[in-house]
Amino acid sequence: MDRDPFQHYDYAMRSRLEKMEVRYIVKPYEADDPLCEFPVISATRLVTHLATNEEDYVISEREIAPDILAKDFNADWGRQYFFHPKPHFADTRHCELLALHKAGRGTAFVLFLFNEPSRELGNRFYALRFEEKKAEEQ
């Protein structure tokens, strides 16, 4: 079953050993797009689109501390979401979404799809980092 039509993603990788798939959605900054300045809206829209609508399931959200955002991701804003994905998007029972934003650069979403939580999931958390500004950009 082709998953791409339900939600486009830019990159994906699968680890059979870790029993996990990681998908990346990258939204570069566009000055004429007002949503580029409000990553929380983009993240909320994506989560509500991908999460199951079953009454028994909840969406959990956690803010990432500013010092972790700066040090580990070179990001200005970030949230972590946990939910059960719709079957049209993934065959797994769980999804962890890491949403990161860098002002003037863009917003990136990293989706970790898995059936059982594992230590490897924590190791993959640092799957993306915004590039440092180059000397000519400063």
Side-chain angles (χ1 to χ4, degrees), residues 75-94:
D76 302 318
W77 176 91
R79 294 281 192 285
Q80 189 177 19
Y81 301 86
F82 298 92
F83 58 90
H84 295 272
K86 289 179 177 145
H88 297 296
F89 179 64
D91 293 327
T92 59
R93 293 190 318 210
H94 304 286

Side-chain angles (χ1 to χ4, degrees), residues 67-129:
D67 59 322
I68 292 173
L69 285 171
K71 179 178 145 247
D72 295 329
F73 302 106
N74 192 31
D76 302 318
W77 176 91
R79 294 281 192 285
Q80 189 177 19
Y81 301 86
F82 298 92
F83 58 90
H84 295 272
K86 289 179 177 145
H88 297 296
F89 179 64
D91 293 327
T92 59
R93 293 190 318 210
H94 304 286
C95 181
E96 175 185 351
L97 169 65
L98 174 63
L100 300 168
H101 176 78
K102 180 75 172 173
R105 296 289 180 120
T107 305
F109 303 102
V110 184
L111 298 120
F112 303 93
L113 301 160
F114 56 95
N115 285 319
E116 295 297 326
S118 68
R119 178 172 288 141
E120 288 80 15
L121 181 62
N123 295 338
R124 294 282 183 178
F125 182 68
Y126 305 100
L128 184 136
R129 179 177 171 78

Side-chain angles (χ1 to χ4, degrees), residues 14-84:
R14 183 181 312 245
S15 171
R16 287 187 184 104
L17 180 66
E18 297 170 334
K19 299 178 182 167
M20 157 187 343
E21 182 177 353
V22 182
R23 298 180 189 174
Y24 294 84
I25 301 171
V26 180
K27 303 286 185 191
Y29 177 78
E30 294 181 23
D32 60 341
D33 182 359
L35 280 180
C36 285
E37 300 299 328
F38 302 101
V40 68
I41 295 172
S42 297
T44 302
R45 287 176 67 187
L46 182 62
V47 169
T48 56
H49 174 60
L50 298 178
T52 184
N53 295 327
E54 297 292 324
E55 288 182 25
D56 301 352
Y57 295 114
V58 297
I59 298 170
S60 299
E61 176 186 4
R62 184 175 82 131
E63 185 175 351
I64 301 171
D67 59 322
I68 292 173
L69 285 171
K71 179 178 145 247
D72 295 329
F73 302 106
N74 192 31
D76 302 318
W77 176 91
R79 294 281 192 285
Q80 189 177 19
Y81 301 86
F82 298 92
F83 58 90
H84 295 272

